[in-house]
Amino acid sequence: MAEQDPQHRRRVVVLFSLPFQGHLNPMLKLASLLAARGLGVTVLHTDFNAPDPARHPVGLAFAPIHETLPGEATSPDSHILTKLLVLNAACDAPFRNTLASLLRDHHRDDDGGDVACAVVDGQCFAAMRAAGELGVPVLALRTDSAASFRNMLAIPRLRDAGYIPIKGKQLGTDMSLRHLQMFVPAEEKLDLPVPGHDPLRVRDLIRVDGCDDDEHCSFVTSVADTIRSAVSGIVINTFDAVEASELAKLQNELSLPAFAVGPLHLLKFQTPPVEQSLHEPDRGCLPWLDGHAPRSVLYVSLGSLACVDRVVFDEMAWGLAGSGVPFLWVVRPGLVITGAGDDDEAPPPLPEGFEEETRGRGRVVKWAPQREVLAHAAIGAFWTHCGWNSTLESVCEGVPMLVQPCFADQMVTARYVTHEWGVGMEVGEVIERGRVAEAVVKVMVGEDGALMRERARHLKMEASAATSSAMDGLVRYILSL
């Protein structure tokens, strides 16, 4: 760890994250690590899902931007792209005003130190632009993988090349055969390989089902253009052992330094940051796990944002019941899409008869202390949506995965888990109880599951060997700005 000297204390880093659990936690961990290395740290944040300063290290300063969010930003029935677009629009002026005020305060206060840079969530293109226009160097924190980020940057090019269908496009009579290939029905192209993005197929490309393709491409273009025009470097919560090749390609494509500072949750903290959780974890599941044999329990969680419809939820439930495998299942509020304005604070009801069928071998909780669950000896596999934080936590505990990606970068990550790193298998393209039960048994007690577990064990060793050298390099870079 770098020594804390007076010169370091005079440089201040401002951080700003999307107000979602999977984005806030990596940003707050990064904030704590930068503070521990002697930098002044100020966390700007939304009022929505605001972090509690009392739960974080004393060295961090917190400042709200006081945004006004329309309902689409917080509604569980809004898809993720709508949330991202609305949040960018709503936070633009409040972030800009708060940062400008902070800059004036530091300029007036000789002892306050100067603002070295802003570290902004890599999806917040409006905030990145605002910081750049105010003359503050910007680092983008990507909370997805390097592979997913590369795929996102390539979406406009892949769309132009016909790998992403353009819905509703009117075909003119003067279009060439080459251009007509762009409009081949998506189903006929799903298993085509994506050039330059092995092992991805068309079906693995980043997408948000139910959203307008033009809107999706416009958002991605806004992020990509801002990264290329306003950003001085990329910070990614990943490590070389899993993504060295993707990181090298990313740096080459962007001509920007990329700092692989992860796995952030494994790095040493002077005062460990408290996990930001939107739900109170049920810690009673830990003693329940104590009563089970090693590697005998399947942990099931689709994270804090992913949603499924009622039919899929019921098939998941009856697949678990039919597998005969002990399970711990996180069923949180908002997990099932209803569109009916149901009580967002209540988890969806389980299928009738499910609890009786699984009594004695299954436990359903509203939320779980995930890192402790994955580290528990009783856990044999993790049924996951492949959010990047969840994937990293599973890799770092040597737990194989059963993958059910729901949207966006989860598609890319799921393909890498199954076909690049070999530490997981798919639940199935169609969630059907018989196939679910078969997949659960295969990953928990089958020969394939044993091979995945061995590969996962090796990745765990690689993750544990990751050092803080990238973080030290990041600090040096910040001090040079």
Side-chain angles (χ1 to χ4, degrees):
M1 180 178 295
E3 292 183 5
Q4 300 178 7
D5 60 47
Q7 183 181 1
H8 286 199
R9 288 192 175 93
R10 293 186 59 80
R11 306 308 304 276
V12 176
V13 180
V14 177
L15 299 99
F16 182 67
S17 172
L18 279 173
F20 301 131
Q21 184 169 320
H23 293 252
L24 280 166
N25 280 324
M27 186 69 82
L28 292 169
K29 290 183 177 76
L30 179 63
S32 296
L33 287 162
L34 293 175
R37 282 159 171 77
L39 291 160
V41 174
T42 298
V43 177
L44 303 188
H45 61 82
T46 58
D47 290 326
F48 174 61
N49 287 342
D52 180 0
R55 295 167 61 86
H56 296 280
V58 175
L60 304 186
F62 289 82
I65 66 170
H66 296 311
E67 80 292 350
T68 300
L69 295 182
E72 300 97 312
T74 59
S75 170
D77 294 326
S78 298
H79 61 62
I80 187 63
L81 183 59
T82 295
K83 293 179 191 291
L84 291 173
L85 289 169
V86 170
L87 279 163
N88 268 279
C91 293
D92 188 355
F95 171 84
R96 185 186 301 267
N97 293 338
T98 306
L99 180 58
S101 176
L102 185 68
L103 292 172
R104 288 192 296 269
D105 290 345
H106 279 281
H107 182 71
R108 286 195 298 264
D109 185 356
D110 291 338
D111 295 326
D114 68 304
V115 174
C117 69
V119 180
V120 179
D121 193 295
Q123 305 282 40
C124 295
F125 59 85
M128 287 189 284
R129 286 176 187 168
E133 289 166 4
L134 289 170
V136 178
V138 180
L139 301 178
L141 174 64
R142 296 300 308 189
T143 56
D144 50 2
S145 67
S148 296
F149 184 36
R150 277 194 69 235
N151 179 223
M152 191 204 75
L153 292 171
I155 282 177
R157 173 177 58 79
L158 294 172
R159 188 193 197 207
D160 290 344
Y163 286 92
I164 298 173
I166 305 175
K167 296 176 183 176
K169 182 78 172 181
Q170 297 297 315
L171 302 185
T173 56
D174 59 345
M175 295 187 71
S176 67
L177 179 62
R178 182 180 68 82
H179 286 101
L180 285 172
Q181 297 306 308
M182 295 172 65
F183 307 104
V184 173
E187 292 76 11
E188 297 180 21
K189 306 180 82 173
L190 290 178
D191 289 315
L192 290 177
V194 181
H197 291 268
D198 185 66
L200 300 183
R201 308 157 297 175
V202 170
R203 70 170 69 245
D204 305 311
L205 293 174
I206 290 174
R207 67 178 189 271
V208 181
D209 293 339
C211 79
D212 180 80
D213 289 315
D214 288 333
E215 190 177 49
H216 184 203
C217 203
S218 175
F219 169 76
V220 168
T221 300
S222 294
V223 172
D225 288 350
T226 303
I227 293 285
R228 291 189 169 100
S229 65
V231 167
S232 300
I234 312 294
V235 183
I236 310 180
N237 185 18
T238 190
F239 59 107
D240 283 339
V242 292
E243 292 209 283
S245 174
E246 296 296 337
L247 284 162
K249 292 173 186 174
L250 185 62
Q251 289 187 117
N252 183 58
E253 291 169 12
L254 289 175
S255 298
L256 289 171
F259 300 92
V261 297
L264 280 171
H265 71 279
L266 288 189
L267 297 183
K268 297 186 184 303
F269 298 90
Q270 287 183 331
T271 304
V274 177
E275 291 279 334
Q276 181 84 3
S277 181
L278 304 184
H279 307 288
E280 188 64 31
D282 181 346
R283 301 192 63 80
C285 65
L286 297 173
W288 181 82
L289 287 172
D290 290 341
H292 289 78
R295 298 189 299 277
S296 65
V297 178
L298 175 69
Y299 172 53
V300 186
S301 175
L302 300 186
S304 59
L305 278 178
C307 304
V308 297
D309 63 34
R310 184 72 216 190
V311 172
V312 168
F313 180 76
D314 287 351
E315 293 300 307
M316 290 174 66
W318 290 118
L320 285 170
S323 71
V325 169
F327 62 87
L328 171 63
W329 187 11
V330 173
V331 178
R332 59 165 173 77
L335 176 61
V336 173
I337 303 167
T338 65
D342 293 346
D343 181 6
D344 295 338
E345 297 302 315
L350 296 165
E352 186 176 352
F354 173 77
E355 291 179 274
E356 291 78 7
E357 180 73 20
T358 60
R359 183 168 287 118
R361 66 176 175 87
R363 186 179 178 100
V364 176
V365 296
K366 183 177 177 180
W367 198 247
Q370 181 162 289
R371 286 180 53 196
E372 292 174 78
V373 167
L374 289 171
H376 199 286
I379 297 298
F382 180 15
W383 181 347
T384 174
H385 64 308
C386 279
W388 185 238
N389 290 322
S390 289
T391 301
L392 269 184
E393 288 167 3
S394 196
V395 163
C396 291
E397 295 300 338
V399 176
M401 285 165 267
L402 199 56
V403 305
Q404 183 186 344
C406 297
F407 61 82
D409 63 295
Q410 298 163 16
M411 314 295 181
V412 176
T413 301
R415 184 67 172 174
Y416 273 74
V417 165
T418 57
H419 285 74
E420 183 73 11
W421 308 325
V423 294
M425 60 181 290
E426 298 173 353
V427 178
E429 187 70 19
V430 176
I431 306 300
E432 184 274 325
R433 64 189 67 186
R435 295 180 182 179
V436 167
E438 182 180 350
V440 168
V441 171
K442 189 177 290 187
V443 75
M444 289 295 293
V445 298
E447 184 176 333
D448 290 343
L451 291 173
M452 288 185 283
R453 189 168 292 108
E454 181 60 23
R455 295 190 196 105
R457 186 180 69 83
H458 284 292
L459 275 189
K460 176 182 179 179
M461 293 169 62
E462 298 268 17
S464 299
T467 68
S468 60
S469 59
M471 183 62 67
D472 293 335
L474 174 61
V475 171
R476 288 192 296 271
Y477 185 65
I478 289 172
L479 293 173
S480 75
L481 294 173

